[in-house]
Amino acid sequence: MSKAGGIVERLAAAIESGALRPGERLASVRDAAREHGVSKNTLAGAYDRLVASGHLEARRGAGYFVASGARRAVRRRAPDVAEALDLVSLLREQTEAHYAVRPGEGRPPPAWMEESELGAHFARAARLGGRGEAHDYGSAWGYAPLRERIALSLQERAIPCAPEQVLLTQGANHALDLIIRQMIEPGDAVLVDDPGYYPLFGKLRLARARILGVRRRPDGPDLEDLAAKLAVARPKAFFTQSLAHNPTGGTLSPAVAHGLLQMAERHGFQIVEDDPFADLLPATAPRLAALDGLRRVLHVGTFSKTLSASLRVGFVAASPGMVTALAHMKLLTVVATSQYAERMVAGLIAGGHYLRHLRRLRARVERATDAALRDLRAAGLNPPRPPGGGFYLWTPLPEDVEEARIVREAAAQSIFLAPGSVFSPERGGNPPMLRINVAHASDPRFLAFMRAQLAGR
């Protein structure tokens, strides 16, 4: 590209992204030529091309200005990136928080964490911690004492695991990303829960995998539907959530777990088991990793749902060969994870703070679930009590209610809803549903909105 062409490209991008606003005056030809290291003639030619394209307007005696009609345009993305970003639009709202009322939120409210003793411990750790080794990269495997604690907790859940089989990550999403990078190639068939964890769908689209949804029942994946998918495809992996399933709240039964592992063995696919609510659930609950012994199952966990989303500490436990490959992938992509965050989590566990916090959090979730079920039923909705616990109520809407319309009208009133269609890889074709977070379900503004919507059908 010529020098003038490069200047045109950069300035057009700045105008289209909104970095340069309509009516804003640009530097003079002389000053801009000096800034870009080109002659005045080259710079003037670039400005003239931007005038011709409608990005700039020239005002005699005043200089060049961003045209008032200049369009802010989104630059074209590769199709796989655009599709992936569309799938995680719900996640984007959870990071940017534009809405005042948040029944569609995926996490517990920060106040549930800050109002326990953890808030004081975080503040103290920020003042005293973070010296010495906490400022180094540390091992790509993560902070060793925390890996030992995690291995011990997995053993308490009947999952045979040594510390050498645990790799620390920046939360569960990072663990899933590493697994996809390591295992999945473009065009590979991959099985997922339907409905299931929608950020995973975005990651798989980005990897250009072929996604096959397996119908999710209250007791786990529908084995008949799984058999039908296996009759026409040879998947590399099945990504599933056994307990307190997101979004349905369902929990895997031992019979379904046994059948799923048999099919994985027979057809040669790996199982990636996501267990984000593990610390809130009974250690004896049926987990695929416990039945399989981390031979064919990769087990993913996180502290984001129970401790703090901002700490970004998670892990993957797997067979020695697989976890070593994932550690190499982590080293190539992010080098290492935060020693400071991992030391903080290890300290909370070792000091008993985390266990006391979990007792309060379990009681809080149970009270919020009871209140949510009562209030939603009074508002005209009828969500079932989730058998697996967790934060979510998978709530059916009346069949004559248009899911997309109710979400749009809620957004107009600054109410953030999570529509059921987002949780299906096919994005539609299912009955209208909402995933409702029990922590926000009893908000009077949300309940009043729902009563009005259902009364006006």
Side-chain angles (χ1 to χ4, degrees), residues 48-353:
D48 287 341
R49 287 167 60 178
L50 289 164
V51 170
S53 66
H55 289 88
L56 297 182
E57 57 185 37
R59 300 178 189 173
R60 186 182 296 273
Y64 291 87
F65 295 78
V66 178
S68 57
R71 285 191 307 110
R72 285 185 58 176
V74 177
R75 291 194 166 273
R76 289 181 60 83
R77 306 185 188 99
D80 51 343
V81 176
E83 187 172 13
L85 288 174
D86 180 58
L87 283 167
V88 298
S89 60
L90 192 69
L91 183 62
R92 189 182 308 124
E93 164 55 27
Q94 295 187 71
T95 62
E96 297 177 3
H98 294 112
Y99 294 78
V101 184
R102 311 187 60 75
E105 179 65 66
R107 298 160 299 190
W112 283 20
M113 311 303 169
E114 294 161 0
E115 291 171 8
S116 74
E117 66 178 89
L118 297 184
H121 190 87
F122 285 154
R124 184 165 60 252
R127 290 194 304 271
L128 302 178
R131 292 194 289 264
E133 292 180 1
H135 288 299
D136 293 337
Y137 276 135
S139 167
W141 287 83
Y143 185 51
L146 180 56
R147 293 169 59 215
E148 293 168 2
R149 292 276 178 180
I150 290 170
L152 181 60
S153 70
L154 292 178
Q155 292 166 24
E156 291 170 351
R157 296 167 196 155
I159 301 173
C161 181
E164 294 76 23
Q165 291 177 264
V166 176
L167 174 70
L168 298 186
T169 62
Q170 294 172 344
N173 269 289
H174 180 218
L176 295 172
D177 185 57
L178 290 175
I179 292 167
I180 291 169
R181 284 173 180 261
Q182 176 63 32
M183 292 175 52
I184 308 302
E185 298 179 2
D188 283 346
V190 177
L191 301 168
V192 299
D193 290 332
D194 184 5
Y197 184 53
Y198 68 90
L200 170 67
F201 306 156
K203 295 179 190 301
L204 292 170
R205 296 286 187 210
L206 196 60
R208 291 182 286 170
R210 185 160 57 95
I211 304 175
L212 303 174
V214 176
R215 188 164 50 247
R216 180 75 186 207
R217 298 165 54 91
D219 61 349
D222 184 327
L223 296 184
E224 289 186 5
D225 190 40
L226 174 58
K229 299 296 191 300
L230 293 173
V232 297
R234 297 187 61 183
K236 278 278 189 73
F238 186 0
F239 290 78
T240 187
Q241 188 174 327
S242 297
L243 309 176
H245 177 255
N246 182 3
T248 68
T251 277
L252 186 71
S253 72
V256 172
H258 181 68
L260 176 55
L261 287 170
Q262 283 187 320
M263 297 170 87
E265 184 73 28
R266 190 157 54 246
H267 292 270
F269 59 86
Q270 302 283 109
I271 298 176
V272 181
E273 181 180 43
D274 190 7
D275 198 10
F277 297 105
D279 292 338
L280 293 175
L281 304 175
T284 55
R287 291 175 168 88
L288 294 165
L291 296 172
D292 173 77
L294 296 179
R295 189 174 59 87
R296 189 173 289 280
V297 174
L298 292 79
H299 191 75
V300 173
T302 181
F303 294 94
S304 293
K305 300 289 188 186
T306 54
L307 182 54
S308 173
S310 64
L311 279 176
R312 309 310 306 146
V313 177
F315 66 90
V316 56
S319 65
M322 175 61 75
V323 81
T324 299
L326 293 173
H328 293 162
M329 182 64 69
K330 175 183 171 183
L331 184 65
L332 288 172
T333 53
V334 297
V335 182
T337 39
S338 169
Q339 281 267 302
Y340 180 67
E342 292 166 3
R343 284 168 175 267
M344 182 179 290
V345 173
L348 289 168
I349 296 172
H353 307 287

Side-chain angles (χ1 to χ4, degrees), residues 347-399:
L348 289 168
I349 296 172
H353 307 287
Y354 184 50
L355 181 59
R356 290 190 291 272
H357 163 70
L358 287 175
R359 292 193 188 111
R360 296 188 184 99
L361 186 57
R362 289 189 194 104
R364 203 161 198 167
V365 171
E366 188 171 344
R367 289 195 303 270
T369 301
D370 290 340
L373 290 168
R374 180 194 65 231
D375 293 340
L376 290 172
R377 287 166 183 166
L381 296 170
N382 190 31
R385 177 178 283 274
F391 297 151
Y392 309 124
L393 299 177
W394 189 233
T395 306
L397 294 169
E399 289 188 5

